[in-house]
Structures are given as C-alpha cells and as structure tokens.
Amino acid sequence: MAKSGTRGRIELQVEDPWLDRYQVMESCSNARLKARLPVLGWLPRYRLTWLQMDLIAGATVGLTTVPMALAYAEVAGLPVQYGLYSAFMGGFVYCIFGTAKDLALGPTGIMSLLCASHVHHDPIYAVLLTFLCGVIQVAIALLKLGFLLDLISHPVIRGFTCAAAFTISVGQLKNILGLQDIPHQFVLQLYDSLRRIPESRLGDVTLGLLCLSLLTMLMRMKNYGQGAGDLTTQSHARILLRGLATARCALVVIGATAVAYACEESGNGMFTIMGSTSQGLPPLRAPSFSEITSDGEVITFSEIAQDLGGGLVVIPFMGLLESIAIAKAFASQNNYQIDTNQEVFAIGLTNILGSFVSAYPVTGSFGRSAVNSQTGVCTPLGGVVTGLIVLLSLVFLMPLFCYVPKAALAAVIISSVAPMADLRGYQEIWEVGGVDLVSFLVTFLASFWEMQYGIVGGVAVSGAIHLFSFTRKKFSVNSSIHHS
C-alpha cells in the first residue's frame, strides 16, 4: 500500500511540469494577445463610472474637433469636408489598438501644412498619401524600427515647430483680410498679403479680429475665478469658465456662422464664406492609385509617387514623432505606460483604414489630447464618442458648414498654433548654444523654404556635427595612446 501511495505521488510529480508549462504558455499567449489588442486589457474591468467620464471627455473633445477639422482642411488646401473625413477613424481604431488613454488622433496643423506642400490641392493625392503613409508606419511597427525616430533631435523638432507656427499663421492672413489668389510659398505669401492690404474686405477683417479677440479672452478665462469667496460658488464658476474655454473654438465658429448666415439670407454678403460642401458620409472605397485629369490625361501611380517625393518619408516619420511624443508626455503625467511599437502600429492602421473613407494623414493632437486629459477621460473609449460626434456632424450639419466664414476659421487656426511658438524653450536652446543652436537655426530657416527641407537639413547638420565630434574624440584618444 505504501508503495502504491508512493507511486501515485511520483506520478503526480511527473505531471506537474507539463501542467506548469501549459499554464505558462497560456499565460504568455494571453499576454501577447493583450499586447496586440490593448482593448482586452481594460474592457473586462470597465466600470460604469468610467463610462460617464469617457462620455463627457469624448463629447468635449468632439466639440473641439469639428471646428478644428474644418480649419485644418483649409490649411491642407483641401475642401473642408476632408477635415471631418479625417477626424473620426482614429477614435475607433485607437480604441482597440492604442495604449494611451489620453491621446486623440486626427488632423493637426503640422500634418496639414506638410500635406499642403505635397498634395497640390488634389484630394486623390491626399488620400493616396494617407494609404502609403499608413503602410510605411505599419511596416516600421512590424520591423520594430521605431528607434529611427530618435534620429530627429529635440532642437530640430523645436525649429520645425516654431517655423510651422509662423508659416501657418502667415498663411491665414489672406483669409483674415479676405484676399484671393495669394501664392503659397512663404515669402511670396507674406509679401503679397502685406502689399494687398488696401484691397482687404472690411467685413472679413472685422470678423477675423473679433474672433481672435474672443478666442484669446476665452482661453485666458480659465485662469480666472481663483480669488477669495465662497468655495462652492467659486468652484461652480471655475467649472463654467473652464467649459467655455474648452469649447471656445466651437462657440466662436457657431456664432460667426450664425452671423454670416443671417447676412447671406438678407442679401448682404459681408463675409467670405466656405461655399458649397459635400453632404453626408464619405464613400467607403479603396484609394485611387491613378488619376484622370479633366483633359483626359492619365496620371499613373509612379507619377503620383514621384510628385509626392520626400513627403513619403517626412510625413510618416513626423506623424509618428508628434504622436508618440504626446503619448509619452501624458503617460508620464498620468502615471501609466505606453507601448511605443503598438502606438506606431495603431497610427499606421488608422491611416490605412482612413484612406478608405477619404482621409488625409493624421497624427496625435496635443491640444485635443490635453482636453481629453483635463476632462478626466478614463479609457480610449472617449475617442469613440468623439468619432460619433464627427459622424453626426457629417450627416446633419454639412449644409450649414457652407456658411462658415473663412475669417473665423483663420482665427481658430492662428489661436491654435500660436502656443507652438514656445519662447521659453527657444530661450533655453539659445543659452545652451553649440550643436543644439546650429541645428535649431538650420531647421527653422530652411523650413521657410520647404518644410521637409527644414527637417532633413536639421537632421543632416545635427548628425554631421555629432559625427565630426565623435571622430575628433576618437582621433584624440588614438593619438594619446600612440604617444604613450
């Protein structure tokens, strides 16, 4: 009997390693699946209180996204509906594949500006560029080449961002002044806008300056209401002011559109408005790999790719760099971890699927991500709410968007990109000097010629200086050893 009992115990000990190995394999498989589909990590433990916060945050970001998407389509040189086409897919895709709860994907000022210099006001070029960018980004994720983003140094990013803020703002002067047929090159754009100031339309100038003033005032209102007084009244006032500041773009655009609509209906067209827009949801179709011009000429895929040129390198990398930098910033601020490679995959997949609904390239938005974080979003489900609001706007509000004054959108764009010119950061680079200052200045100045030249030039100069410094140090060490 004792032997039998011993044999039984020995058999159990033999089976245990197989059981442990199976459990380890199952655990690894589950972990791998959750890494590929991060939604499986937070959805099973989702709470009702989270839903309330996600709904509030998603709706708030949605009210910010709709006017911004219209404005950024103007920067990209595309019809305004393409801004909305680009603004909803990110919320649905990122909810499943993203790892940062605060990140909001969609059109941004920098990406719109980069696209404008490559797509030549052609939606077919823009949509195909979106697809190709997505393919490149997904390939980077699958090959785990995210380390290539480190080649773009901080001073280069600063120089590019500062130049982009100036370029975008100057590009909107024509809409504030109500001017037409202004060149797109920065220097010519600035010169022509200033030269033709006497031709400005009084209605557009008045409305544009009024909208800029209101946006600035609403932005600063959130810092008020912190004085002494009844705490309950003070907290309610602060919440109201913060809500007005958050939804300032929507409030200003709605007000300006109402005024423009009333003027148009009364037969007094004082403002330059957007004009006719395409109503309804975008068609669900694959991007076109060729184009037939009005003259019947066929532009092949290779010709389009050649026209897109350096944009096929600069735009995917800048999109990833901007998005991951934002995701890391908010992850650090709110104490959670992100998976960089998974973020690259999520952005790439968003662009690929976005090209099937006529989107142009998107990336993470710092402004809308900040709104997400400040309103207490708990999970990426907030992005789904934002996407639904954009879709509802496409279905029901497109007829009204034709009355949106261009001067109001220009004011929204200028107020949005102004914080990109962070003077404190540039002062730090100036004080440090050396390689950082040279890289910053090269990027900043070259970006006024062509945006992609600024990035490439800054990276090249920074890399060359670092390589020269490394070579010089190595030569110095070798010489010391030789003399010893």
Side-chain angles (χ1 to χ4, degrees), residues 71-97:
Y72 286 143
E74 177 76 13
V75 175
L78 299 171
V80 290
Q81 63 266 22
Y82 281 86
L84 295 178
Y85 294 166
S86 309
F88 66 86
M89 184 60 75
F92 297 106
V93 175
Y94 196 81
C95 179
I96 300 172
F97 296 97

PDB file of all heavy atoms in Angstrom, residues 71-97:
ATOM      1  N   ALA A  71     -11.025  73.725 -40.062  1.00  0.00           N
ATOM      2  CA  ALA A  71      -9.957  74.707 -40.210  1.00  0.00           C
ATOM      3  C   ALA A  71      -8.696  74.084 -40.793  1.00  0.00           C
ATOM      4  O   ALA A  71      -8.053  74.658 -41.678  1.00  0.00           O
ATOM      5  CB  ALA A  71      -9.662  75.353 -38.857  1.00  0.00           C
ATOM      6  N   TYR A  72      -8.329  72.902 -40.318  1.00  0.00           N
ATOM      7  CA  TYR A  72      -7.091  72.281 -40.784  1.00  0.00           C
ATOM      8  C   TYR A  72      -7.203  71.794 -42.226  1.00  0.00           C
ATOM      9  O   TYR A  72      -6.194  71.708 -42.930  1.00  0.00           O
ATOM     10  CB  TYR A  72      -6.690  71.137 -39.852  1.00  0.00           C
ATOM     11  CG  TYR A  72      -6.140  71.618 -38.527  1.00  0.00           C
ATOM     12  CD1 TYR A  72      -6.414  70.943 -37.347  1.00  0.00           C
ATOM     13  CD2 TYR A  72      -5.332  72.741 -38.469  1.00  0.00           C
ATOM     14  CE1 TYR A  72      -5.910  71.378 -36.127  1.00  0.00           C
ATOM     15  CE2 TYR A  72      -4.820  73.195 -37.259  1.00  0.00           C
ATOM     16  CZ  TYR A  72      -5.116  72.512 -36.093  1.00  0.00           C
ATOM     17  OH  TYR A  72      -4.609  72.959 -34.905  1.00  0.00           O
ATOM     18  N   ALA A  73      -8.401  71.444 -42.671  1.00  0.00           N
ATOM     19  CA  ALA A  73      -8.573  71.107 -44.085  1.00  0.00           C
ATOM     20  C   ALA A  73      -8.228  72.312 -44.951  1.00  0.00           C
ATOM     21  O   ALA A  73      -7.661  72.176 -46.045  1.00  0.00           O
ATOM     22  CB  ALA A  73     -10.006  70.651 -44.347  1.00  0.00           C
ATOM     23  N   GLU A  74      -8.553  73.504 -44.457  1.00  0.00           N
ATOM     24  CA  GLU A  74      -8.189  74.737 -45.159  1.00  0.00           C
ATOM     25  C   GLU A  74      -6.678  74.879 -45.242  1.00  0.00           C
ATOM     26  O   GLU A  74      -6.130  75.274 -46.274  1.00  0.00           O
ATOM     27  CB  GLU A  74      -8.807  75.935 -44.429  1.00  0.00           C
ATOM     28  CG  GLU A  74      -8.448  77.288 -44.994  1.00  0.00           C
ATOM     29  CD  GLU A  74      -9.183  77.616 -46.279  1.00  0.00           C
ATOM     30  OE1 GLU A  74     -10.151  76.920 -46.619  1.00  0.00           O
ATOM     31  OE2 GLU A  74      -8.755  78.581 -46.955  1.00  0.00           O
ATOM     32  N   VAL A  75      -5.968  74.552 -44.157  1.00  0.00           N
ATOM     33  CA  VAL A  75      -4.502  74.606 -44.159  1.00  0.00           C
ATOM     34  C   VAL A  75      -3.929  73.607 -45.163  1.00  0.00           C
ATOM     35  O   VAL A  75      -2.966  73.899 -45.880  1.00  0.00           O
ATOM     36  CB  VAL A  75      -3.944  74.311 -42.750  1.00  0.00           C
ATOM     37  CG1 VAL A  75      -2.419  74.240 -42.768  1.00  0.00           C
ATOM     38  CG2 VAL A  75      -4.409  75.379 -41.765  1.00  0.00           C
ATOM     39  N   ALA A  76      -4.532  72.422 -45.233  1.00  0.00           N
ATOM     40  CA  ALA A  76      -4.055  71.383 -46.156  1.00  0.00           C
ATOM     41  C   ALA A  76      -4.403  71.688 -47.606  1.00  0.00           C
ATOM     42  O   ALA A  76      -3.939  70.986 -48.510  1.00  0.00           O
ATOM     43  CB  ALA A  76      -4.644  70.035 -45.766  1.00  0.00           C
ATOM     44  N   GLY A  77      -5.199  72.719 -47.841  1.00  0.00           N
ATOM     45  CA  GLY A  77      -5.578  73.074 -49.206  1.00  0.00           C
ATOM     46  C   GLY A  77      -6.629  72.153 -49.789  1.00  0.00           C
ATOM     47  O   GLY A  77      -6.697  71.985 -51.006  1.00  0.00           O
ATOM     48  N   LEU A  78      -7.465  71.557 -48.929  1.00  0.00           N
ATOM     49  CA  LEU A  78      -8.498  70.623 -49.380  1.00  0.00           C
ATOM     50  C   LEU A  78      -9.875  71.159 -49.016  1.00  0.00           C
ATOM     51  O   LEU A  78     -10.001  72.018 -48.137  1.00  0.00           O
ATOM     52  CB  LEU A  78      -8.282  69.258 -48.715  1.00  0.00           C
ATOM     53  CG  LEU A  78      -6.960  68.545 -49.013  1.00  0.00           C
ATOM     54  CD1 LEU A  78      -6.802  67.328 -48.109  1.00  0.00           C
ATOM     55  CD2 LEU A  78      -6.885  68.143 -50.477  1.00  0.00           C
ATOM     56  N   PRO A  79     -10.937  70.683 -49.667  1.00  0.00           N
ATOM     57  CA  PRO A  79     -12.299  71.064 -49.253  1.00  0.00           C
ATOM     58  C   PRO A  79     -12.527  70.732 -47.784  1.00  0.00           C
ATOM     59  O   PRO A  79     -12.003  69.738 -47.268  1.00  0.00           O
ATOM     60  CB  PRO A  79     -13.190  70.208 -50.168  1.00  0.00           C
ATOM     61  CG  PRO A  79     -12.354  69.947 -51.376  1.00  0.00           C
ATOM     62  CD  PRO A  79     -10.945  69.828 -50.874  1.00  0.00           C
ATOM     63  N   VAL A  80     -13.331  71.554 -47.105  1.00  0.00           N
ATOM     64  CA  VAL A  80     -13.445  71.445 -45.645  1.00  0.00           C
ATOM     65  C   VAL A  80     -13.954  70.092 -45.186  1.00  0.00           C
ATOM     66  O   VAL A  80     -13.618  69.634 -44.090  1.00  0.00           O
ATOM     67  CB  VAL A  80     -14.348  72.556 -45.080  1.00  0.00           C
ATOM     68  CG1 VAL A  80     -13.683  73.899 -45.195  1.00  0.00           C
ATOM     69  CG2 VAL A  80     -15.711  72.556 -45.756  1.00  0.00           C
ATOM     70  N   GLN A  81     -14.763  69.409 -46.008  1.00  0.00           N
ATOM     71  CA  GLN A  81     -15.304  68.126 -45.555  1.00  0.00           C
ATOM     72  C   GLN A  81     -14.204  67.082 -45.358  1.00  0.00           C
ATOM     73  O   GLN A  81     -14.368  66.140 -44.576  1.00  0.00           O
ATOM     74  CB  GLN A  81     -16.362  67.591 -46.526  1.00  0.00           C
ATOM     75  CG  GLN A  81     -15.878  67.280 -47.929  1.00  0.00           C
ATOM     76  CD  GLN A  81     -16.077  68.446 -48.872  1.00  0.00           C
ATOM     77  OE1 GLN A  81     -16.195  69.597 -48.427  1.00  0.00           O
ATOM     78  NE2 GLN A  81     -16.153  68.170 -50.162  1.00  0.00           N
ATOM     79  N   TYR A  82     -13.065  67.254 -46.029  1.00  0.00           N
ATOM     80  CA  TYR A  82     -11.979  66.293 -45.863  1.00  0.00           C
ATOM     81  C   TYR A  82     -11.368  66.363 -44.468  1.00  0.00           C
ATOM     82  O   TYR A  82     -10.779  65.394 -43.990  1.00  0.00           O
ATOM     83  CB  TYR A  82     -10.908  66.508 -46.942  1.00  0.00           C
ATOM     84  CG  TYR A  82     -11.318  65.913 -48.267  1.00  0.00           C
ATOM     85  CD1 TYR A  82     -12.095  66.640 -49.162  1.00  0.00           C
ATOM     86  CD2 TYR A  82     -10.959  64.624 -48.617  1.00  0.00           C
ATOM     87  CE1 TYR A  82     -12.512  66.097 -50.378  1.00  0.00           C
ATOM     88  CE2 TYR A  82     -11.356  64.069 -49.821  1.00  0.00           C
ATOM     89  CZ  TYR A  82     -12.138  64.807 -50.695  1.00  0.00           C
ATOM     90  OH  TYR A  82     -12.544  64.260 -51.885  1.00  0.00           O
ATOM     91  N   GLY A  83     -11.502  67.503 -43.807  1.00  0.00           N
ATOM     92  CA  GLY A  83     -11.064  67.577 -42.423  1.00  0.00           C
ATOM     93  C   GLY A  83     -11.897  66.679 -41.526  1.00  0.00           C
ATOM     94  O   GLY A  83     -11.371  65.990 -40.655  1.00  0.00           O
ATOM     95  N   LEU A  84     -13.217  66.662 -41.762  1.00  0.00           N
ATOM     96  CA  LEU A  84     -14.099  65.792 -40.982  1.00  0.00           C
ATOM     97  C   LEU A  84     -13.925  64.334 -41.382  1.00  0.00           C
ATOM     98  O   LEU A  84     -14.023  63.436 -40.538  1.00  0.00           O
ATOM     99  CB  LEU A  84     -15.556  66.214 -41.171  1.00  0.00           C
ATOM    100  CG  LEU A  84     -15.920  67.602 -40.629  1.00  0.00           C
ATOM    101  CD1 LEU A  84     -17.371  67.921 -40.926  1.00  0.00           C
ATOM    102  CD2 LEU A  84     -15.669  67.684 -39.134  1.00  0.00           C
ATOM    103  N   TYR A  85     -13.675  64.067 -42.672  1.00  0.00           N
ATOM    104  CA  TYR A  85     -13.412  62.691 -43.100  1.00  0.00           C
ATOM    105  C   TYR A  85     -12.206  62.117 -42.365  1.00  0.00           C
ATOM    106  O   TYR A  85     -12.131  60.903 -42.131  1.00  0.00           O
ATOM    107  CB  TYR A  85     -13.122  62.639 -44.607  1.00  0.00           C
ATOM    108  CG  TYR A  85     -14.275  63.007 -45.512  1.00  0.00           C
ATOM    109  CD1 TYR A  85     -14.067  63.270 -46.862  1.00  0.00           C
ATOM    110  CD2 TYR A  85     -15.578  63.096 -45.026  1.00  0.00           C
ATOM    111  CE1 TYR A  85     -15.117  63.609 -47.704  1.00  0.00           C
ATOM    112  CE2 TYR A  85     -16.629  63.432 -45.863  1.00  0.00           C
ATOM    113  CZ  TYR A  85     -16.391  63.690 -47.200  1.00  0.00           C
ATOM    114  OH  TYR A  85     -17.430  64.028 -48.036  1.00  0.00           O
ATOM    115  N   SER A  86     -11.264  63.001 -42.009  1.00  0.00           N
ATOM    116  CA  SER A  86     -10.016  62.557 -41.366  1.00  0.00           C
ATOM    117  C   SER A  86     -10.119  62.484 -39.849  1.00  0.00           C
ATOM    118  O   SER A  86      -9.187  62.012 -39.194  1.00  0.00           O
ATOM    119  CB  SER A  86      -8.877  63.523 -41.737  1.00  0.00           C
ATOM    120  OG  SER A  86      -8.798  63.714 -43.131  1.00  0.00           O
ATOM    121  N   ALA A  87     -11.241  62.941 -39.294  1.00  0.00           N
ATOM    122  CA  ALA A  87     -11.302  63.153 -37.846  1.00  0.00           C
ATOM    123  C   ALA A  87     -11.983  62.048 -37.059  1.00  0.00           C
ATOM    124  O   ALA A  87     -11.946  62.082 -35.827  1.00  0.00           O
ATOM    125  CB  ALA A  87     -12.006  64.486 -37.561  1.00  0.00           C
ATOM    126  N   PHE A  88     -12.625  61.072 -37.717  1.00  0.00           N
ATOM    127  CA  PHE A  88     -13.395  60.091 -36.935  1.00  0.00           C
ATOM    128  C   PHE A  88     -12.773  58.702 -36.885  1.00  0.00           C
ATOM    129  O   PHE A  88     -12.958  57.972 -35.909  1.00  0.00           O
ATOM    130  CB  PHE A  88     -14.833  59.984 -37.460  1.00  0.00           C
ATOM    131  CG  PHE A  88     -14.976  59.429 -38.850  1.00  0.00           C
ATOM    132  CD1 PHE A  88     -15.034  58.063 -39.067  1.00  0.00           C
ATOM    133  CD2 PHE A  88     -15.075  60.272 -39.946  1.00  0.00           C
ATOM    134  CE1 PHE A  88     -15.180  57.544 -40.337  1.00  0.00           C
ATOM    135  CE2 PHE A  88     -15.217  59.765 -41.232  1.00  0.00           C
ATOM    136  CZ  PHE A  88     -15.270  58.399 -41.425  1.00  0.00           C
ATOM    137  N   MET A  89     -12.012  58.293 -37.897  1.00  0.00           N
ATOM    138  CA  MET A  89     -11.487  56.932 -37.933  1.00  0.00           C
ATOM    139  C   MET A  89     -10.523  56.667 -36.780  1.00  0.00           C
ATOM    140  O   MET A  89     -10.500  55.570 -36.206  1.00  0.00           O
ATOM    141  CB  MET A  89     -10.797  56.663 -39.272  1.00  0.00           C
ATOM    142  CG  MET A  89     -10.297  55.230 -39.437  1.00  0.00           C
ATOM    143  SD  MET A  89     -11.610  53.994 -39.346  1.00  0.00           S
ATOM    144  CE  MET A  89     -12.385  54.232 -40.957  1.00  0.00           C
ATOM    145  N   GLY A  90      -9.728  57.670 -36.409  1.00  0.00           N
ATOM    146  CA  GLY A  90      -8.744  57.484 -35.346  1.00  0.00           C
ATOM    147  C   GLY A  90      -9.364  57.052 -34.028  1.00  0.00           C
ATOM    148  O   GLY A  90      -8.806  56.222 -33.309  1.00  0.00           O
ATOM    149  N   GLY A  91     -10.523  57.602 -33.689  1.00  0.00           N
ATOM    150  CA  GLY A  91     -11.167  57.253 -32.432  1.00  0.00           C
ATOM    151  C   GLY A  91     -11.553  55.793 -32.355  1.00  0.00           C
ATOM    152  O   GLY A  91     -11.374  55.138 -31.312  1.00  0.00           O
ATOM    153  N   PHE A  92     -12.057  55.236 -33.454  1.00  0.00           N
ATOM    154  CA  PHE A  92     -12.499  53.837 -33.467  1.00  0.00           C
ATOM    155  C   PHE A  92     -11.313  52.867 -33.489  1.00  0.00           C
ATOM    156  O   PHE A  92     -11.304  51.872 -32.758  1.00  0.00           O
ATOM    157  CB  PHE A  92     -13.394  53.592 -34.678  1.00  0.00           C
ATOM    158  CG  PHE A  92     -14.672  54.392 -34.657  1.00  0.00           C
ATOM    159  CD1 PHE A  92     -14.840  55.485 -35.485  1.00  0.00           C
ATOM    160  CD2 PHE A  92     -15.698  54.068 -33.788  1.00  0.00           C
ATOM    161  CE1 PHE A  92     -16.002  56.232 -35.454  1.00  0.00           C
ATOM    162  CE2 PHE A  92     -16.871  54.798 -33.749  1.00  0.00           C
ATOM    163  CZ  PHE A  92     -17.026  55.890 -34.590  1.00  0.00           C
ATOM    164  N   VAL A  93     -10.307  53.157 -34.315  1.00  0.00           N
ATOM    165  CA  VAL A  93      -9.149  52.263 -34.420  1.00  0.00           C
ATOM    166  C   VAL A  93      -8.309  52.316 -33.146  1.00  0.00           C
ATOM    167  O   VAL A  93      -7.900  51.281 -32.604  1.00  0.00           O
ATOM    168  CB  VAL A  93      -8.293  52.635 -35.645  1.00  0.00           C
ATOM    169  CG1 VAL A  93      -7.020  51.784 -35.689  1.00  0.00           C
ATOM    170  CG2 VAL A  93      -9.095  52.449 -36.927  1.00  0.00           C
ATOM    171  N   TYR A  94      -8.083  53.526 -32.640  1.00  0.00           N
ATOM    172  CA  TYR A  94      -7.213  53.672 -31.472  1.00  0.00           C
ATOM    173  C   TYR A  94      -7.841  53.078 -30.219  1.00  0.00           C
ATOM    174  O   TYR A  94      -7.134  52.634 -29.319  1.00  0.00           O
ATOM    175  CB  TYR A  94      -6.879  55.147 -31.256  1.00  0.00           C
ATOM    176  CG  TYR A  94      -5.711  55.350 -30.335  1.00  0.00           C
ATOM    177  CD1 TYR A  94      -4.409  55.232 -30.811  1.00  0.00           C
ATOM    178  CD2 TYR A  94      -5.899  55.639 -28.995  1.00  0.00           C
ATOM    179  CE1 TYR A  94      -3.328  55.393 -29.970  1.00  0.00           C
ATOM    180  CE2 TYR A  94      -4.827  55.804 -28.145  1.00  0.00           C
ATOM    181  CZ  TYR A  94      -3.537  55.676 -28.635  1.00  0.00           C
ATOM    182  OH  TYR A  94      -2.467  55.830 -27.798  1.00  0.00           O
ATOM    183  N   CYS A  95      -9.154  53.033 -30.158  1.00  0.00           N
ATOM    184  CA  CYS A  95      -9.828  52.430 -29.014  1.00  0.00           C
ATOM    185  C   CYS A  95      -9.443  50.960 -28.868  1.00  0.00           C
ATOM    186  O   CYS A  95      -9.340  50.439 -27.757  1.00  0.00           O
ATOM    187  CB  CYS A  95     -11.340  52.566 -29.174  1.00  0.00           C
ATOM    188  SG  CYS A  95     -12.293  51.845 -27.829  1.00  0.00           S
ATOM    189  N   ILE A  96      -9.204  50.289 -29.982  1.00  0.00           N
ATOM    190  CA  ILE A  96      -8.870  48.856 -29.973  1.00  0.00           C
ATOM    191  C   ILE A  96      -7.367  48.623 -29.865  1.00  0.00           C
ATOM    192  O   ILE A  96      -6.911  47.757 -29.122  1.00  0.00           O
ATOM    193  CB  ILE A  96      -9.417  48.167 -31.240  1.00  0.00           C
ATOM    194  CG1 ILE A  96     -10.939  48.311 -31.291  1.00  0.00           C
ATOM    195  CG2 ILE A  96      -9.026  46.701 -31.297  1.00  0.00           C
ATOM    196  CD1 ILE A  96     -11.564  47.837 -32.591  1.00  0.00           C
ATOM    197  N   PHE A  97      -6.584  49.437 -30.573  1.00  0.00           N
ATOM    198  CA  PHE A  97      -5.153  49.141 -30.707  1.00  0.00           C
ATOM    199  C   PHE A  97      -4.249  50.101 -29.936  1.00  0.00           C
ATOM    200  O   PHE A  97      -3.047  49.853 -29.842  1.00  0.00           O
ATOM    201  CB  PHE A  97      -4.760  49.161 -32.187  1.00  0.00           C
ATOM    202  CG  PHE A  97      -5.426  48.103 -33.013  1.00  0.00           C
ATOM    203  CD1 PHE A  97      -6.564  48.391 -33.750  1.00  0.00           C
ATOM    204  CD2 PHE A  97      -4.936  46.813 -33.031  1.00  0.00           C
ATOM    205  CE1 PHE A  97      -7.195  47.415 -34.512  1.00  0.00           C
ATOM    206  CE2 PHE A  97      -5.557  45.818 -33.782  1.00  0.00           C
ATOM    207  CZ  PHE A  97      -6.692  46.126 -34.526  1.00  0.00           C
TER     208      PHE A  97
END
